[in-house]
Amino acid sequence: MTSQTSPSSASRHVVVIGAGAIGLMSALNALDQGLQVTIVDPGQPGGEHASSYGNAGWLSSHSVLPPSEPGVWKKIPGFLADPLGPLSIRWRYLPRTLPWLMRYLVAGSTEARITATAAALRTLLHGAAQLHQRMAEQAGISHLIDLGGLLHVYRSRRHFEADARGWRIRRDLGIAWQELSAQELREREPDLDPGYGFGVLIPEAGHCRNPGAYIAALAAHACARGARLTTATASGFRFEQQRLAAVLTDGGDIACDAAVIAAGAQSKALAAQAGDKVSLEAERGYHAMVLAPEGRPRTPMMIMDRKVIATQTEQGLRVAGQVEIASFEAAPDWRRAEIMRDIALQLFPALPRDLPASRVRYWLGRRPSTPDGLPCIGPSTRSPDIIHAFGHGHIGLGSSARTGRLVGQLLARQAPEIDLAPFSAQRF
């Protein structure tokens, strides 16, 4: 690819680095602001290489609690000892991730810290399902967004009450829910293991029926509106007289007036070139998908004692979860995905015990995670024309619609619709 000529000041040109959920929402909102847009990504939008492809599809406006909590430090030895537990850290990677891990522990060390994080995340996530529905309608893919709510299921009310702090924080932020008795849960979810006897339904939330297809369709919509999609890997920036002049890629320089760093777990090095040393890890997660399942959830559900999410997607029953802290390049440990398959068999007894391998698909993704659970959104230190939009961790899909709106506002030099101070990359 040859270097492009610099656009006129009358029509600013922005390069969006990353064609995942965050990058595409940013690109579409930049188009809404009348900007020229080039999207740069090494892979095909919606492809299996991207975290956006294989997540649980939740548009969870109530996912406001940070990943850490008081007393979690006591569990670290267990995480290290059990390589197949819900959260594991590969021993060889521990020295590199130790600074991130220490910040992670501090971020959830007090209820006051958790409450402050939850308040910030609520502003980012509020109305998430409805924002996605609006964008899907504009792209002609409204069938991919479902506004039927989300479930959390517990073994009993007693187990729900053990999570009282988190639900109290949600209630104080205006999040409402409906409690389901064992009978009500059974009527709503007849295929679920009857050992689960209590449910919490969050009506304001929703889900995406096929995240990969959704991302691919958003990319096509952006291109139909005039965005240019370039297959390349961005490596940095060129500045002239202290102003951004181009994004550097392995296919050549792309002249531009502004750039958005939305490269997911690969954003750390780009942020450093933009003047910000951020704490970011590739938090690896797995899913197993059962094709043509005999038992399934009617409503996407988080199984609270297993820390996994079960969702019926267009492709099949997807059970997603697990947190593995390891290098981006480390080989997958597919035993972790097989755990997801085994959990599916336990959750939905109608699935055959001798489920053939041909009916199961496994996948590994890399969440771009900050230690405090807050993404980086806002101008970079080196240039106000380079906008950070990464680090969304477990809420990437759900928070992408509002993040895109914020990026569009920043690119147009408008006041953002929420306070971005908690999401500043300079906090590190």
Side-chain angles (χ1 to χ4, degrees):
M1 182 184 69
T2 59
S3 178
Q4 300 173 14
T5 58
S6 178
S8 68
S9 58
S11 55
R12 298 178 75 223
H13 178 211
V14 57
V15 173
V16 178
I17 304 171
I22 304 295
L24 291 172
M25 289 294 185
S26 298
L28 286 163
N29 280 274
L31 290 168
D32 287 343
Q33 297 288 356
L35 304 180
Q36 296 183 33
V37 176
T38 297
I39 305 164
V40 177
D41 196 283
Q44 188 70 21
E48 292 191 28
H49 70 287
S51 296
S52 300
Y53 170 85
N55 61 50
W58 272 35
L59 307 175
S60 48
S61 47
H62 65 289
S63 292
V64 297
L65 301 179
S68 181
E69 62 183 2
V72 73
W73 62 270
K74 300 175 184 178
K75 303 177 182 179
I76 296 296
F79 296 157
L80 292 171
D82 184 2
L84 298 179
L87 190 158
S88 72
I89 306 169
R90 294 200 186 183
W91 274 100
R92 291 183 179 180
Y93 196 63
L94 182 58
R96 283 178 57 185
T97 196
L98 197 56
W100 184 94
L101 186 59
M102 295 305 297
R103 288 191 173 105
Y104 167 87
L105 295 175
V106 170
S109 59
T110 68
E111 184 168 332
R113 290 180 182 271
I114 293 173
T115 301
T117 296
L121 288 176
R122 178 59 173 170
T123 66
L124 185 64
L125 287 165
H126 184 65
Q130 292 72 29
L131 289 175
H132 279 276
Q133 182 187 46
R134 193 179 312 161
M135 186 64 77
E137 288 174 350
Q138 294 172 6
I141 47 173
S142 57
H143 65 284
L144 291 179
I145 303 300
D146 186 296
L147 302 185
L150 296 172
L151 265 176
H152 291 242
V153 299
Y154 290 88
R155 291 287 180 181
S156 67
R157 169 174 275 281
R158 178 174 59 84
H159 291 91
F160 164 70
E161 291 171 348
D163 278 349
R165 177 176 54 211
W167 290 106
R168 183 181 70 250
I169 290 172
R170 291 187 177 102
R171 182 195 62 211
D172 292 345
L173 291 172
I175 297 168
W177 63 85
Q178 300 171 11
E179 298 179 5
L180 305 179
S181 67
Q183 180 61 33
E184 290 169 330
L185 181 61
R186 187 69 177 164
E187 291 173 357
R188 186 180 182 96
E189 297 294 338
D191 294 345
L192 179 64
D193 173 8
Y196 290 94
F198 189 80
V200 180
L201 175 68
I202 298 88
E204 71 175 48
H207 77 283
C208 177
R209 292 189 173 96
N210 188 334
Y214 184 47
I215 298 306
L218 290 179
H221 181 51
C223 291
R225 292 185 55 194
R228 177 182 177 184
L229 179 61
T230 298
T231 303
T233 299
S235 57
F237 309 97
R238 188 178 81 239
F239 295 87
E240 294 177 0
Q241 298 179 344
Q242 303 305 311
R243 293 190 63 85
L244 177 66
V247 169
L248 312 181
T249 81
D250 57 4
D253 298 358
I254 305 177
C256 61
D257 304 287
V260 179
I261 301 176
Q266 300 280 46
S267 297
K268 186 174 182 177
L270 292 166
Q273 293 198 42
D276 294 302
K277 185 178 181 181
V278 300
S279 185
L280 188 73
E281 276 293 346
E283 184 191 317
R284 296 147 62 97
Y286 294 79
H287 85 216
M289 190 156 60
V290 180
L291 309 182
E294 290 83 354
R296 62 178 180 84
R298 270 54 175 180
T299 305
M301 60 181 65
M302 173 170 280
I303 315 301
M304 298 303 290
D305 64 333
R306 298 301 192 107
K307 304 302 181 187
V308 302
I309 292 175
T311 303
Q312 179 64 32
T313 70
E314 286 189 336
Q315 303 106 307
L317 166 61
R318 179 176 294 180
V319 178
Q322 301 272 309
V323 171
E324 181 185 45
I325 305 299
S327 68
F328 190 94
E329 303 82 8
D333 184 348
W334 292 118
R335 294 177 300 170
R336 301 182 68 85
E338 291 168 353
I339 290 174
M340 299 293 98
R341 175 204 60 199
D342 294 344
I343 290 175
L345 297 178
Q346 295 161 14
L347 292 176
F348 302 102
L351 295 174
R353 303 301 93 182
D354 56 348
L355 188 68
S358 61
R359 288 185 55 197
V360 185
R361 301 285 184 270
Y362 299 123
W363 177 85
L364 163 67
R366 299 164 179 86
R367 309 178 188 96
S369 295
T370 62
D372 57 10
L374 294 166
C376 296
I377 307 171
S380 71
T381 294
R382 185 169 184 181
S383 171
D385 294 319
I386 300 178
I387 308 299
H388 296 309
F390 60 84
H392 294 70
H394 292 252
I395 58 169
L397 182 64
S399 63
S400 63
R402 190 170 304 281
T403 298
R405 289 167 60 91
L406 295 165
V407 169
Q409 291 156 8
L410 291 169
L411 290 170
R413 300 188 175 97
Q414 300 169 356
E417 62 193 34
I418 66 171
D419 180 14
L420 292 183
F423 309 107
S424 170
Q426 289 81 44
R427 70 186 186 271
F428 298 114

